[in-house]
Amino acid sequence: MLNREEWLPLARKLDWDYTYVREDEVFPQVISGHPWLPHAEWKDWEESFKTSYREYVDNQYEKDMAVYAVRDAIGRLENIQKLAAPWLNSLKVHAAALPLAEFTGVIGSLRGARFGRDSAWRTMSTFGALDEYRHTQIPLLLFHPLVRWDSQFDWAHKFYHTNNWFAVAARHFFDELTTGQNAIEFAIGTNFVLETGFTNLQFVGLASLARESSDHMFERMVTSIQTDEARHAQIGHPVLEVMMKHDPEYVQYLLDKWFWRSWRMFSILTGLSTDYLTALEQRPYSFKEFMEEWIIDQYLRTLDEFGLKKPWYWDIFEDELNIYHHAIYASAYTYRATLWFDFVIPSPAERKWLRQKYPKYWDDMDAVWEQVAERWRTVGPGAANELAVHGSAMPTFCDLCQLPLSAGTPRKNTANVLTKDGRKYIFCSAPCRWIFLREPERYANHKDLVKRVLSGEAPAHLPDLLTEYFRLTPDTWGKDVYHGAYEWLATKKASVA
Amino acid sequence: MYMSIPLYGFLEGDTLGLLMLAEEGETVLQLARKLQDAANIRVPHSDNVDFLYDGKAIDPGLTVVQAGLQALDRFDVIRRHTL
């Protein structure tokens, strides 16, 4: 009988020559991806961490048992109810955005499992699909039962099945990244850029915020997921190595595109949690500091390792680190009824902290918060006054990322209009416009929310839009956690200089 | 009868663009006021503003049509001192 070191290489490298069909019929370019190369070019594909199916099942079983044990020990409702109210809303954001996004990762991984160009790649993708299925189930298991206590947790299941504006943006992102993607672009966009680059935000940064917030169940959940991500993320590197020999310009494009698209999504998911929905005394760092330490340094080192350049938009990206998620949060606060979780106004102490962490543009953001606070002072606190401190005009959205036109700075918004083939499009930023123009056939027919309203597809009247199209109710739509009843707001004008 | 023209409005100091339905016959000054009202929850009102279209300041007395604004164009309302 062969020992592990002898049989594993035989089992994971099981390729053969086709005699009844051509190789390009088995692996059509449209679904295997570009560049199409004969298998001889892929045969040295090698993952750095190798596992067998039996080892995989044993490991996953142990990890699942650990998650169950944590849930039974500290995941009871009384434990959750002890968490700070703003942090609970960070949980609601992730409970909605995470599970079904991970499920689209199952589909993308299965595409790699069938159309990846080497058998070892296909084996790793099979494990990856099983991982992503686990990542769908765990947050649903932990979060959705909380709906009995708080109906906003229903969005753990509901989110992607609605036309809520953030769901439209998230679907646009994940459908392209995973569900509708060929095996090569999935390996680059998901395994290399998102899982190697950005999931550190979730699984290192967020885990540390959860620990600081005494949310050990969430901490354990993301840590458990991270151990899977670290394994299947390694699919990206060997795919990239082969592609670099044949079409480095295309590699550069895919990396630049997916870094930007991932940045847009994670700046909201993680940025809001880090800088607003975690209590000030529990914030170990700012979102920008975390990006610089855990994302940027590592990503630039990896680019350098492969002989790739920084994205052309790097200066724009670095500038956005100072402002983009702040503009999104303030915009979302003043349109909180369009979302399924609650918000807080940063207190004078938090604004002082934000000024220290983000000195470049904070004056502009502080003026916005002062105006919002002034509105609460005028109308007075209380649930009945929520909509008096809320926007009523229709917000606008980017035709590429589908997120609000909040890029640039409050002094100079960078939204730009494009007329193409008789139609008008608007983009929040130069990189979103650039991505659109590289693949207009992919994006041109997608209607953003404004165009859905203008065409009559979505209601124009805001209350109807919220209830009929976003599928919110007065109970579930977002509010101020304290309905404007902040001690600091009642006493005097905030002094945060 | 006037037609409504959907436009993307950006007020200096605001954190997002807003959809503004302009009437053909209204002046750009009226449209600027409308945007200021819509964004007032985030940006205080100011009397001294300029209306920019295609990067150029527009005479506030011109109507939306006279200014050449067309559906889904961008316009900006900025504080005058920044000119």
Side-chain angles (χ1 to χ4, degrees), chain A residues 66-322:
Chain A
V67 171
Y68 280 123
V70 169
R71 182 197 61 167
D72 293 343
I74 55 173
R76 288 188 294 272
L77 184 54
E78 57 264 35
N79 303 114
I80 306 294
Q81 286 172 323
K82 286 179 191 159
L83 300 173
W87 175 257
L88 271 173
N89 287 286
S90 178
L91 286 188
K92 289 172 191 171
V93 175
H94 288 89
L98 201 58
L100 299 198
E102 297 282 358
F103 187 73
T104 71
V106 177
I107 298 167
S109 297
L110 287 175
R111 195 151 294 126
R114 166 60 183 85
F115 294 100
R117 296 306 317 282
D118 182 76
S119 53
W121 174 357
R122 295 193 289 273
T123 302
M124 286 300 293
S125 294
T126 305
F127 293 138
L130 292 168
D131 291 339
E132 304 295 12
Y133 198 57
R134 179 173 181 263
H135 305 169
T136 309
Q137 291 175 323
I138 291 175
L140 288 177
L141 171 82
L142 298 180
F143 290 129
H144 194 257
L146 300 175
V147 71
R148 295 186 189 98
W149 165 59
D150 185 332
S151 54
Q152 288 179 325
F153 277 105
D154 194 25
W155 282 64
H157 270 299
K158 189 174 175 179
F159 174 65
Y160 284 99
H161 297 295
T162 74
N163 281 314
N164 180 274
W165 65 264
F166 191 52
V168 170
R171 274 205 305 271
H172 191 278
F173 175 74
F174 285 112
D175 280 356
E176 188 191 0
L177 179 69
T178 56
T179 318
Q181 201 47 269
N182 65 63
I184 285 179
E185 190 166 343
F186 178 82
I188 301 302
T190 303
N191 299 133
F192 188 86
V193 177
L194 187 126
E195 290 174 344
T196 308
F198 277 87
T199 49
N200 272 343
L201 270 178
Q202 296 285 292
F203 299 123
V204 181
L206 211 58
S208 126
L209 288 181
R211 185 171 56 251
E212 296 292 333
S213 301
S214 303
D215 187 356
H216 301 297
M217 186 179 78
F218 190 64
E219 178 196 0
R220 190 57 184 254
M221 183 195 91
V222 293
T223 306
S224 182
I225 289 177
Q226 166 60 11
T227 57
D228 295 342
E229 299 284 347
R231 175 174 24 73
H232 67 241
Q234 59 176 331
I235 292 170
H237 278 71
V239 173
L240 195 69
E241 277 173 24
V242 175
M243 290 176 71
M244 281 300 288
K245 292 180 194 161
H246 298 276
D247 197 345
E249 190 278 333
Y250 181 58
V251 174
Q252 184 80 51
Y253 167 65
L254 289 185
L255 293 185
D256 294 356
K257 166 184 165 182
W258 285 112
F259 186 89
W260 183 259
R261 296 216 64 189
S262 303
W263 154 245
R264 273 281 176 271
M265 195 51 56
F266 282 95
S267 63
I268 295 177
L269 281 177
T270 320
L272 272 50
S273 296
T274 312
D275 286 347
Y276 292 95
L277 297 177
T278 303
L280 179 59
E281 60 277 12
Q282 290 160 350
R283 290 177 203 164
Y285 38 70
S286 69
F287 175 62
K288 182 183 176 188
E289 287 166 342
F290 189 85
M291 282 291 297
E292 288 170 342
E293 181 173 347
W294 286 91
I295 308 299
I296 295 173
D297 286 354
Q298 175 189 301
Y299 192 70
L300 292 181
R301 274 199 309 275
T302 310
L303 290 183
D304 198 44
E305 178 191 325
F306 283 98
L308 289 153
K309 299 189 290 275
K310 275 184 195 173
W312 63 268
Y313 53 72
W314 199 253
D315 290 346
I316 298 173
F317 161 69
E318 287 194 314
D319 208 42
E320 280 208 352
L321 283 171
N322 297 295

Side-chain angles (χ1 to χ4, degrees), chain A residues 272 275-276 323 325-336 343-348 350-351 354 361-377 389 480 486 488-489 494 496, chain B residues 13 15 41-44:
Chain A
L272 272 50
D275 286 347
Y276 292 95
I323 184 70
H325 68 293
H326 299 305
I328 287 284
Y329 185 78
S331 303
Y333 179 90
T334 55
Y335 282 94
R336 56 198 176 281
F343 290 72
V344 285
I345 302 182
S347 68
E350 287 171 305
R351 281 156 62 183
L354 287 161
Y361 299 119
W362 188 255
D363 278 350
D364 293 336
M365 290 309 307
D366 206 61
V368 170
W369 285 116
E370 192 47 47
Q371 180 73 357
V372 173
E374 192 56 40
R375 180 69 70 93
W376 272 116
R377 281 188 200 101
V389 190
D480 186 296
Y486 298 88
W488 58 267
L489 198 148
V496 294
Chain B
T15 52
I41 186 170
R42 291 173 300 277
V43 185

Side-chain angles (χ1 to χ4, degrees), chain A residues 30-48:
Chain A
V30 68
I31 197 158
S32 281
H34 172 87
W36 195 93
L37 303 165
H39 181 254
E41 300 293 331
W42 295 101
K43 67 180 172 50
D44 295 327
W45 196 99
E46 194 81 11
E47 74 275 28
S48 49

Side-chain angles (χ1 to χ4, degrees), chain A residues 331 371 394 396 406 410 415 424, chain B residues 13 15 17 19 40 42 71 73-74:
Chain A
S331 303
Q371 180 73 357
M394 177 79 191
T396 54
S406 293
K424 273 188 182 158
Chain B
T15 52
L19 183 69
N40 186 243
R42 291 173 300 277
D73 278 347
R74 169 183 176 151

